[in-house]
Amino acid sequence: MRHNKNFNHLGRQAGHRKALLSNMASSLILHKRIETTLAKAKAVRQFIEPLVTRSKEDTTHSRRVVFSYLKQKEAVTELFRTIAPKIADRPGGYTRILKTGFRLGDAADMCIIEFVDFNDAYTKGIAPEAVAAEAKPKTRRSRKKSTDAVEDAVVEGEKKARKAAAPKAAKASAPKVAKKTNVGKKM
């Protein structure tokens, strides 16, 4: 009987499930955010929260314990070097799950799981559009119109006209190839 044994098996056997969770946790650590199904995200959250808590204490033993779960040196290094110092004062709840809707193929409930302290736009209360607008460089154009600018515009227009004419000439000179059809072939 399986009374009171309630965790999501994710439709996989134990070895496959452990490998899945390890790979997803490593991807989350390396990329700081991943998109997955809601069930997998909840399973990854249960898997990774104790590892992040363990990473607050940087000892050889804790590194070995985390490595036994993740099985990727790069992920362990990233966890102890960049993530642990940033979440040192947080008592728990290191990840956030944001629902994104349903997948087109099978209508699975999709979401984004991410580290709470690594989404600057969300934590500072800045809209993503404002961040994108800030990052866009401003153009450096002259306000005054001069005769040189008009002449340069005319020269640029002639260059564009030549470039547009060149592909048409290349298409005209290319030999025509017969179109392949399946007529007359046995299926």
Side-chain angles (χ1 to χ4, degrees):
M1 290 188 210
R2 60 173 305 277
H3 295 309
N4 292 331
K5 295 182 184 297
N6 51 357
F7 70 94
N8 197 342
H9 295 279
L10 300 173
R12 290 160 173 82
Q13 295 192 357
H16 190 183
R17 186 171 53 251
K18 286 177 188 173
L20 171 84
L21 293 174
S22 172
N23 287 331
M24 289 183 74
S26 296
S27 295
L28 180 61
I29 289 168
L30 293 174
H31 301 291
K32 311 298 185 278
R33 117 190 318 206
I34 55 174
E35 184 177 3
T36 183
T37 61
L38 186 62
K40 286 180 188 173
K42 288 179 178 179
V44 168
R45 181 173 54 187
Q46 283 183 334
F47 183 84
I48 204 167
E49 296 270 342
L51 299 181
V52 176
T53 303
R54 171 88 54 174
S55 73
K56 288 182 178 181
E57 183 185 351
D58 191 5
T59 62
T60 306
H61 177 65
S62 61
R63 281 182 179 263
R64 286 179 177 163
V65 169
V66 170
F67 180 75
S68 71
Y69 283 95
L70 294 179
K71 299 176 179 53
Q72 284 190 17
K73 285 183 183 178
E74 298 83 18
V76 173
T77 305
E78 181 77 12
L79 179 63
F80 279 87
R81 282 197 185 149
T82 61
I83 295 174
K86 203 161 186 179
I87 53 98
D89 57 340
R90 185 177 289 276
Y94 312 110
T95 57
R96 169 190 303 129
I97 294 177
L98 304 169
K99 294 182 181 180
T100 58
F102 299 99
R103 187 161 51 195
L104 197 58
D106 59 354
D109 201 2
M110 298 299 287
C111 67
I112 293 173
I113 182 169
E114 64 184 7
F115 281 108
V116 173
D117 294 322
F118 286 88
N119 187 347
D120 293 332
Y122 198 83
T123 54
K124 293 180 182 175
I126 301 170
E129 297 85 24
V131 173
E134 248 180 58
K136 195 164 100 173
K138 296 184 179 183
T139 58
R140 298 183 65 188
R141 292 186 181 161
S142 174
R143 296 253 182 223
K144 58 184 176 181
K145 292 266 184 178
S146 67
T147 57
D148 294 335
V150 173
E151 290 173 1
D152 289 340
V154 170
V155 172
E156 288 293 321
E158 290 175 359
K159 285 181 184 178
K160 287 181 182 177
R162 282 190 220 137
K163 285 183 182 179
K168 291 178 183 174
K171 287 181 183 176
S173 64
K176 293 189 176 182
V177 179
K179 194 175 185 181
K180 290 186 177 183
T181 61
N182 288 335
V183 177
K185 291 186 179 180
K186 293 183 180 178
M187 296 280 175

